Amino acid sequence: MTSEITLFVNPTAGRGRGAHAALPAASALRAAGFSVRTVLGENAADALTRAREAVADGTGALVAVGGDGMANLALQAVAGTRTPLGLVAVGTGNDFARALGLPVGDPEASGRLIAEALQGDRLGDVDLGRVNGTWFGTVLASGFDSRVNDRGNRMRWPVGRFKYDLAMLAELAAFRPFAYRITLDDGETREIEATLVAVGNGSSYGGGMRICPGAVLGDGLFDITVVGDCSRTTLLKVFPKVYRGTHVDHPVVTVHRAARVELVAEGITGYADGEPLGPLPLTAECIPAAVRVALP
């Protein structure tokens, strides 16, 4: 493996923490003997093109500096290759890093860990989800939570996570269940009324909300959490339990396991790793051992 590795940086991650985090991470990697080059890009598409070029040129690793959005972008460059992915988790979500047991908010420690993993061959293959050629590491969200994302993304004020809290309140005021058709592993199609359906390769989204608490990154299967038809009052009781993962014990919640799931519903956008995939219908496949990652 070449000693040159590529830092893939989102300068706006965590309200500017991405750019600052790149420096101590790069210093830790250089101190371990690696040559470090940095990829920024003028926008997401340009950055991804540059990252893919680095992978094609044989970089020893692609190290994403930012949150889940940056990790997701990096996955598009390294998935299906043997180029290792390192994560310096300094964004607002960091759920993929949490699922891997990696440091969060400590770029120097992350840089040291990546260096040690590369030098000691402490690398592992983990599963990814794939939808129409787009890869994701954590959760595909659809339903109430994706509608909150839609509304929050349209809001110009306030900034930060508070606007998503306001978006949630607005969506609660307009709350209604959605008519879904769900097909698992080419089996029987279920027609249900549901509040949301989450397809988990990893266990959490939204910065630690354990929507699919039993999901494992290396078992070749998704955990699919379905919150069924419920009242606004029941949703308000169930949703806070997501942070502990105990919502799955509620009678309105069911969990299924499958390697492939097709979701059909009207007026719902699918989000994976917090990034919009497009409107349903969508079909997600769990691809075993799709990416090599630096592990603790």
Side-chain angles (χ1 to χ4, degrees):
M1 180 182 68
T2 176
S3 63
E4 180 184 271
I5 61 178
T6 303
L7 275 188
F8 191 38
V9 181
N10 178 0
T12 64
R15 299 185 188 179
R17 287 197 300 272
H20 294 295
L23 299 176
S27 295
L29 289 161
R30 291 190 178 105
F34 289 96
S35 172
V36 179
R37 60 173 295 223
T38 300
V39 167
L40 285 170
E42 297 178 5
N43 50 48
D46 180 55
L48 178 55
T49 296
R50 295 179 188 222
R52 283 175 167 157
E53 288 172 351
V55 171
D57 289 343
T59 187
L62 186 67
V63 178
V65 183
D68 283 325
M70 200 61 182
N72 178 271
L73 198 60
L75 288 176
Q76 313 313 312
V78 298
T81 76
R82 300 307 291 165
T83 302
L85 173 67
L87 295 178
V88 178
V90 291
T92 52
N94 308 311
D95 289 287
F96 195 38
R98 285 189 177 92
L100 293 166
L102 299 175
V104 171
D106 191 339
E108 184 178 358
S110 296
R112 288 197 306 268
L113 184 151
I114 293 164
E116 292 167 2
L118 293 171
Q119 291 172 331
D121 199 27
R122 200 169 66 232
L123 304 170
D125 296 331
V126 300
D127 305 342
L128 294 176
R130 186 173 63 190
V131 178
N132 295 331
T134 297
W135 301 92
F136 68 93
T138 57
V139 176
L140 189 169
S142 73
F144 175 76
D145 44 6
S146 65
R147 291 291 288 266
V148 171
N149 256 333
D150 284 341
R151 186 181 289 269
N153 291 341
R154 293 194 301 267
M155 294 168 62
R156 295 182 178 274
W157 184 92
V159 297
R161 296 189 65 85
F162 184 55
K163 74 175 179 180
Y164 291 97
D165 294 335
L166 290 181
M168 181 177 290
L169 290 174
E171 283 300 320
L172 277 170
F175 173 72
R176 60 178 177 82
F178 307 96
Y180 276 90
R181 292 203 314 274
I182 304 173
T183 305
L184 305 179
D185 288 336
D186 296 320
E188 180 184 356
T189 296
R190 298 169 170 86
E191 296 193 4
I192 62 170
E193 295 285 317
T195 301
L196 65 85
V197 179
V199 180
N201 182 55
S203 61
S204 68
Y205 64 2
M209 300 169 70
R210 302 182 66 232
I211 187 68
C212 301
V216 177
L217 288 175
D219 63 357
L221 295 170
F222 293 128
D223 275 31
I224 299 111
T225 299
V226 178
V227 179
D229 185 359
C230 64
S231 67
R232 187 181 294 110
T233 300
T234 299
L235 180 60
L236 286 170
K237 289 179 179 177
V238 171
F239 209 75
K241 296 181 179 181
V242 171
Y243 288 95
R244 299 188 302 276
T246 56
H247 60 291
V248 295
D249 299 326
H250 195 281
V252 78
V253 179
T254 56
V255 178
H256 311 272
R257 306 190 79 219
R260 184 179 185 275
V261 56
E262 180 183 9
L263 302 177
V264 180
E266 296 264 343
I268 295 178
T269 302
Y271 283 78
D273 296 341
E275 302 298 312
L277 285 174
L280 273 57
L282 293 171
T283 299
E285 298 175 281
C286 185
I287 309 300
V291 65
R292 299 181 80 197
V293 293
L295 295 172

